[in-house]
Amino acid sequence: MSITPAATARQPFRGIVGISPARYIRLPLFETVTGYTEKAVRRKIDDGIWLEGKEYMRAPDGHILVDLEGYYKWVENQRQAG
C-alpha cells in the first residue's frame, strides 16, 4: 500500500508540539514552569533581589507578573557570580 500526499493530509498530526508561555506570567504558572514557589518569589521581591521592571512587573489589576526574559538574565547572572 502506498501513501499519497492526499491521504497523508487527512491523517492527524502525531508529532510533538511545544507550548511557550507568554513573556509575562503570573506566579502559579511561574511556579509550575520553574519550581520557585510563590513565597520564594515574593521573598525575592521583598528583599530587593528582584526589581520591578527588571525581573517582574505588576499588572494593571495588581497581580505580580514575572518577566521570563528578566528571570533568565537573573539566572545567568547568578551562574556567572557563583
Side-chain angles (χ1 to χ4, degrees), residues 8-78:
T8 304
R10 289 186 294 240
Q11 299 299 318
F13 179 74
R14 299 189 192 277
I16 297 172
V17 176
I19 297 175
S20 290
R23 176 177 173 179
Y24 301 98
I25 60 175
R26 289 183 51 198
L27 294 179
L29 180 56
F30 183 74
E31 183 174 345
T32 300
V33 171
T34 66
Y36 276 100
T37 65
E38 290 187 40
K39 183 177 179 180
V41 171
R42 290 181 190 280
R43 187 173 295 139
K44 285 174 180 25
I45 291 169
D46 292 343
D47 292 347
I49 296 168
W50 282 14
L51 303 175
E52 189 164 0
K54 197 169 179 184
E55 288 86 15
Y56 78 98
M57 64 185 302
R58 291 194 188 271
D61 62 4
H63 284 101
I64 293 173
L65 302 174
V66 177
D67 179 350
L68 288 179
E69 290 182 18
Y71 166 73
Y72 297 142
K73 289 176 186 175
W74 176 78
V75 169
E76 288 296 318
N77 287 336
Q78 297 306 305

